Amino acid sequence: MALSVDSSWPRWQWRIRDGLLQSPSEATPLLSQEKGRQSYNLMRQRVVFPNNSICHRDWAKISRRYPGNRICTTKYTLLTFLPQNLFEQFHRWANLYFLFLVILNWIPSMEVFHREITMLPLAIVLFTIMVKDGMEDFRKHRFDREINCSNIQIYERKEQSYVQKCWKDVRVGDFIQMQCNEIIPADILLLFSSDPSGICHLETANLDGETNLKQRRVVKGFSQQDVQFEPECFCNTIVCEKPNNHLNKFKGYMEHPDQTRTGFSSESLLLRGCTIRNTEVAVGIVIYAGHETKAMLNNSGPRYKRSKIERRMNTDIFFCIGLLFFMCLIGAIGHSLWNGTFEEHPPFDVPDAEGSFLPLALGGFYMFLTMIILLQVLIPISLYVSIELVKLGQVFFLHNDLDLYDEESDLSIQCRALNITEDLGQIQYIFSDKTGTLTENKMVFRRCTIMGSEYSHQENAKRLETPKELDSDSEEWTQQQFLSFPARWSQGLATRRSQGGAHPLRRCQSARLPIQGHCRQRSVGRCDSSPPPVAFSSSIEKDVTPDKNLLTKVQDAALWLENLSDTRPAEPSLSAASSIADFFLALTICNSVVVSTTTEPRQRVTMPPSTKTLGTSLEKIQQLFHKLKLSSLSHSFSSTAPSDADLGESVGTNMPTTDSEEKDDVSVSSDGYSTDGGYRSSTWDQGDSLRSGSDASSEEVLEAPGFGLASPELCYEAESPDEAALVHAAQAYSFTLLSRTPEQVTVRLPRGTCLTFDVLCTLGFDSVRKRMSVVVRHPLTGEIIVYTKGADSVIMDLLEDPACATDTDVEKELRKIQARTQKHLDLYARDGLRTLCIAKKVISEENFQRWAGFWREAEASLENRDELLMQTAQHLENQLTLLGATGIEDRLQEGVPDTISALREAGIQLWVLTGDKQETAVNIAYSCRLLDQTGTVYSINTENQETCESTLNSALEEVKQFHGPQKPDHKLFGFHLPFKTTPPASGAAAPEVGLVIDGKTLSAIFQGKLEKKFLELTQYCQSVLCCRSTPLQKSMIVKLVRDKLSVMTLSIGDGANDVSMIQAADIGVGISGQEGMQAVMSSDFAISRFRHLKKLLLVHGHWCYSRLARMAVYYFYKNVCYVNLLFWYQFFCGFSGSTMIDYWQMIFFNLFFTSLPPLVFGILDKDISAETLLALPELYKSGQNSECYNLLTFWISIVDAFYQSFVCFFIPYLTYKDSDIDVFTFGTPINTISLITILLHQAMEMKTWTVIHGLVLAGSFLMYFVVSLIYNATCVTCNSPTNPYWVMEGQLSDPTFYLICFLTPAAALLPRYFFLSLQGTYRKSLISKAQKIDKLPMDKRDLEIQSWKSRQRPAPVPGGAQPSHRPVTPVPEQDLGASSPGSSSPPKRERKEDRVLHGERDSRDHARGEPHSGDPSAKLSSGAHLLGPSRTTASGAYSGRQTDAHWPSSRGSHRRSQSSLTI
C-alpha cells in the first residue's frame, strides 16, 4: 500500500538540533533516535498505537491507560443505590430536620409519640422519592445496555479479519469497519472509504439534529487506495489532543515509520452517534472511546435550576422555623412556670433511679425539645413531594398542548428542566436571536448585483408574495427552467462516470449489495424505512424566477465561456459577459453541497487529481514562523523566498476589521469548492497549454450535457441554507452543479457544456475571517484562480486598490463598481436581506506552489496550528477583484409580529442580540414590530470609551425630558415595582424609545465600566437591538441585566452560537429549527416556532406560576392551622407536650385526608381561561409582580391560619367545658372541624370547578370518616392507656357534634369570605376584572375584551406619526456637514428627524479613502447641545440612495418616522 506523505520531518529535526525542545512534548518525535524506543507525554497529548500484529505490544501497554467503550449514564448501582440515594436526599435540609426529630423522639425523656410512628412520615417521603429515582435510573440502565450490546465489525488480530462484536468491546486503537446506515460507535479517525475520492458522508441527526449530510475525508495519503484497507500494513503512530468537548475542533498528526508526519483535523474524524450515509464501506481507527468521546463529553443532561418560588419558599420556611422556636419557647417557659406552682412534686413527676428530680431549667429545656417534636408538622415536609408531583402534571399538559405542536416538523414542546415551570410566568426580559428564531432560516434568493449593475428580480419578489401557490407552480416552473436556453441534449452523463468505480448508496439503499431495501436507522432501537427530507430544499427555497434582463446576459456569458478554448483576449477585460460567467460559476462551486438524484446514486467524476509538488514558502510567512519560534522553517527557505511583488501589490488601505461574529452574520459553509475566471489582472498567454490534471483534450473538457428534460431531479444537500439558496439561484440560470469530489467539481453551463474544474485547495469558513475561499484550476485556460465569498464588511476591505491599476479608465471603472456595489449592499441590508460579496483573484503557478508549501506545513503542525492556518489564509485572500454581491431574504416566521406585540403588552422587554449587519437587523426589527414606526430610535456606534460615555449621558438627558427624571426600579425590599416613570410636565404622551447598538460599542461599555449608565438608558427603552455581537457578548449582556437589575430573564435561540446566552438566563429556550439541536440540548425548554412562546408564557406560564404560588401559600396555611390546635391545647394541659388527637389520625390527616386536593389544585386549576389570557396579555404582569406569592400574602395566610385554628379550638372547648368527656372525645370534634375548614378553604381558593375537583374534595371528606370509623372500631388497645376505641361512633350519635361541625367552620372562614367578597367587588386588579369577564357569555365577553383593549390603548403622539420636538439648541451646520456619511442609521424617507452626534467614523469611510475623523471632532462649541433636531440628512452615499428610481421597496419599511442618534 503506497502512502503519499508530507516531508515535514526535517523541520522538527532542526528544532531539536537547535535546542528548542529540551523535554518531551507534543512536538517531540515519538521515536527517539538515541535510544531507539518510543517516548511520549500522556499528560499533554494522546498517543494511539494500532491493534495489529506489528504494534500489538505497544498497543497493549498504552491501551490500559484509556477507558473502554462501555458507557454508563446511570447514577447508581445495586450496591450504591440505597446509600447514595439517601445521601442525596439528605442534602435537602428539610429531610435532615425531620431526621433530627426522629432521633430526638427516641430519647426516652423527650418521647412524645411512639418511636416507630414518628419515623413513618419521613420514611414515606424518602421511599416515594427513592422509587421515582430508581425507576428513572433503571430506564437509563436499559438504554445503556441496548447501546453497549449493539453490533459492529472490529478487526481481530489473531483471525486477521473483521469480527462482529459489541460496542462495549471496542478499545482505543482498534480498527472498525462500518457500512452504510450504520451508527459510529466511537470517535474514529477515517483511514479508508469505498468512495474513490476518499469521502465519507455523515448524518449528524443523532448528535445535533441536522439532517443534511456532512463530508469527512480520509487522512491525507490514504485516499488513493485501489483495494481494501489492510490493518496489518498500518504501522503508524497517531498523536492528537487530549479528549475535549469541542465538536468542531480536532488536531493531531500521524507519524510514519520513517518519522515523517501527516497532519489531520476534524474533517477526518467520525464522531460517535453519527450515521454513515452514501458510503458503502468506511474503515477507521478508534481515537476516543466511551465517556471520552466528544458526544458523551457534551451530554450533560438536564440541568438543575432553582425556581424563584423555591427560593421564596426557603426564606419562608426559615420564618416558620423562627415561629416554631418561638412557640416551643413559650411551651418551655410555660411548663417551668406551671411546675413552679406546685409546692410539692406532683404525682406524675417521676424521679430518677437515685430519687432526685430534674431542675426546673433542665425540665424546661427538655420540654423545649419535646415541643419541637410535637409541633414538627409546622414545617411542611410533604410540600416538596407535592411540588414535584404537581410539576410533573404541569409538564404532562404542556407536552399534550396541540397549540404548541408543529405539524411541519412533527415536534412538540420539550421540557428538559422539570423544576422551573413556574418561572415561565414571571419573565421580565427576553433575549432573542434573530436568524432562525425570529426568521425561518429559510434563505430565499432575492436580488443580486454584478459589476455594479443591479438586478432586482421583481418577478421573483411577486412570486414570493403568494407562498401558498408555490407548491402547485413548482413543477411547471422547473420545466420552464430547462427550456430557458437552447440546449444540445445529445448524450447522458453516464459516459462521464468511471465504469469501474464504486458507487455509494443512497440513504434508503442497503449497505450490503445483495440485500435491497435495508431500512435507515436513525438511532439505536429506532428504524425508519423512508429517507429523511433533504435539508434546505423546500419549494420556496429551490424555485427562483430569473430576472429577464440578466437572463439575456447569461446567454452571452455562456458563449464567452465556451469560446475560451478557441480565442483568449489579449488584455484584461471588464466585460459584462466575463463577470457574469465568473459570478455564477462562483455561486455554483464555492460551497460544500453534496449532489445526488432522487433515483440514482450521487454522480461523481473519478478523474485523478492534479499532481502537486511542494514549493518554497514566502518571506512574510518566514516572519510569522519567527514569531511562533519556528525558525527552522524560515531557515530552510531563506535562499528562495520571493519578494512581495511576486504575489501582487498589497492592499492600499489597511482598514480596521470588525469583531468576530457568530454564524447568523453570513452562513458560509466550510469545505467549499469553486471555479473559473473572468476579469484578470494579468494578460492572457495564448501559448499556455491546458492544465486539467492530465493531458486532457478539449473533447474531454467540453462534454455534452448529462440531463435532459426526462432526467431525474438533482438533490442538493447543503450544510447551510445560504449556500443552498445560492446553488439553487445559479441553477435557475442553468449554471447547474452536477457532481463534486474533493479534487474536482463538474458544472453544466447554460448551453449544455460540462466543465470539470480541479480543486487545488479549500479555505473553510470561520467566524474570525468571515469568509471562505477555494483555489481552482480553470479547465480551459489552466489559470489558478482564488474565489472568495463572505461578509461584505470583510470582502470590501480585501479588494485590490483601484489606484494600483495601470490604466486610468480601468481605475475609474473599478472605483465606480465598488461604489455602486457598496450602495446596493447598503440598500439590500435596509431591505432586510442578508448580503454576501463574491470576489476572485488570479495567481501564478509559482506563487501558488510556494504558498501551498507553507499551507501544508501549517496543516501538519500541532503547536499554534490555528494561528498558522489563519495567517496563511490571510496571505492568500487579498488583492481581490470584486465580482458582485447577493441579497438573500431570511423570511420572518409566521406569527412573530403578533407574538412580539403581545409580549410587549405583557410588560416584557424584548432584546434582540444578533451578529447580523445593523441595517439588516433594524429592518427586521421594524417588520416584526420590535421597533415602533412612530417611536424614537437611538443608534449608537462607537468604539471609543470617552465618546461612548458622553453619548450615553446625552441620550439619558434627552430621554428624561420626555419620560421624567425618575429612574424606574424593579425591586424594593423584595417587592416588584412596575416600570413607571414620571410623565413630562407638558402632559404630552412620550414616544416609545428604542436603542440600536453594535458589538464595538458593547466592548467599549464593558471595558469602560459604563454598564450602569447603559442599563439606566435601556430601562427607558421598550426594546433594544444589539447588532454585530459575538456569542460571548450575548452571554455577558444577559448576565449583566439578570444580576444588576435582579430580574427574571429568558433567552431564546436556535444555533450553537446561542448556547452561552441560553445557559446564562434564568430560563433557556431552544428552537429546534434549521441550525440543528445544539441550542435545544443546552436549553430548559425546546419549541419549534417562535410564536409558541406567546402561549407558553402568557397562558402556561401564568397558570404554572398561579397554581404553584397559591398551592405553596395554602400548604403553609394548612400546616400552621393544624399545628396551632396542638399549641392551644398546651395551655390546658400544663404544657406537658400531650395531645388531644390520636397520632395515627394526625399522620393520616397530612398523608391522605388533605394531600389530594392541593395536588389537583396545582395541576388543573385555571384562574383565567386561555382565551382571555391570550386576548389580554397585560394579565401576565401579575406573575411579574409576584402578586400570588410574596411576603405580604405569606404573612396574611399565617395570621389567617392562627385565627382559624383559634376558632376551631375554642368553640369546641367552650362547648364541652365542665363536661366529663375524655381527651379523644374532645379532640375528635376539633380534628373534624379543622378538616372541614381546611377543605372549604381550599374550595374557596379554587377558580375552576370540574368533576375531578368535586370528587377529590368529597372523597377526602368521606375518606376521613370511613378511616376514622374503621380505626376507632378496631383499635381497642392501640394507644394505651388512652385508646380511641368507638370514639367516632359515639360522636356521630351526638347532635352537638353536628352543630359545632356546622357553625365552627362558618365562623372560621367568615373573615376570608368577607375579604374575598370585597376584593371581587371593589378591587381594581387586572386579574379580578378578567375573572369577571370570563364568567360572561361568549358574545358579551368579546365585547368586554374589545372595550378593555380600547381603554388600554395609549393616546396618540401629537403631530401624527412624528414625535414631538425636543427643546434643545440645534447643532451648528458645519458640525452636521462633518458627520459620517457611512452612518449605519437608515436614510431619511418621510418626516424623519435625525440627530447626529460626531464621533468615530464608520469603517466604510476608510474603504472610500476618506480621512479618519478622530475623537476631537466630537467636541462642540460652548453652549451648544450634544443633541439637537436637524432636518438635514447625512451626505455622501445616502443622498444617492434616496434618488435611486429603480429601487422598489418590498416592505415599504423605509417610509417611517423616527429619531436617530448616530455615532
Side-chain angles (χ1 to χ4, degrees), residues 1065-1206:
D1066 294 296
I1067 289 184
V1069 178
I1071 292 186
S1072 50
Q1074 301 272 335
E1075 292 193 26
M1077 301 292 288
Q1078 295 186 37
V1080 170
M1081 289 188 293
S1082 61
S1083 65
D1084 304 309
F1085 298 88
I1087 57 180
S1088 53
R1089 291 290 182 268
F1090 183 83
R1091 68 174 185 269
H1092 293 165
L1093 196 64
K1094 179 179 179 181
K1095 187 172 186 182
L1096 179 63
L1097 295 184
L1098 302 187
V1099 178
H1100 289 286
H1102 174 84
W1103 282 346
C1104 290
Y1105 165 74
S1106 176
R1107 293 163 177 169
L1108 274 173
R1110 291 187 290 150
M1111 190 189 79
V1113 173
Y1114 175 78
Y1115 257 98
F1116 284 114
Y1117 149 80
K1118 177 174 70 77
N1119 285 38
V1120 172
C1121 181
Y1122 192 69
V1123 155
N1124 274 337
L1125 298 175
L1126 305 179
F1127 178 70
W1128 301 129
Y1129 181 67
Q1130 300 307 307
F1131 288 90
F1132 302 96
C1133 67
F1135 298 96
S1136 59
S1138 59
T1139 64
M1140 73 291 191
I1141 303 173
D1142 183 77
Y1143 191 62
W1144 281 106
Q1145 290 275 23
M1146 296 173 60
I1147 292 177
F1148 291 157
F1149 189 92
N1150 276 320
L1151 288 182
F1152 302 113
F1153 304 150
T1154 60
S1155 60
L1156 282 181
L1159 294 180
V1160 175
F1161 172 76
I1163 296 175
L1164 299 178
D1165 192 67
K1166 299 178 182 178
D1167 57 345
I1168 303 174
S1169 64
E1171 295 77 14
T1172 305
L1173 287 172
L1174 289 174
L1176 302 174
E1178 53 265 33
L1179 298 176
Y1180 185 81
K1181 296 178 181 178
S1182 64
Q1184 294 175 330
N1185 301 335
S1186 301
E1187 293 180 2
C1188 295
Y1189 182 24
N1190 51 48
L1191 196 61
L1192 182 63
T1193 57
F1194 169 77
W1195 283 112
I1196 288 178
S1197 65
I1198 297 298
V1199 173
D1200 193 23
F1202 268 89
Y1203 165 77
Q1204 291 186 23
S1205 65
F1206 185 85

Side-chain angles (χ1 to χ4, degrees), residues 69-73 144 147 185 187 207 244-245 247 272 289-301:
N69 201 44
R70 178 193 295 270
I71 65 168
C72 180
T73 60
D144 292 344
I147 291 180
D187 289 353
L207 192 63
N244 56 70
N245 61 350
L247 293 174
R272 175 191 175 106
H291 289 276
E292 290 186 341
T293 58
K294 293 180 179 293
M296 294 301 297
L297 291 175
N298 278 277
N299 184 17
S300 58

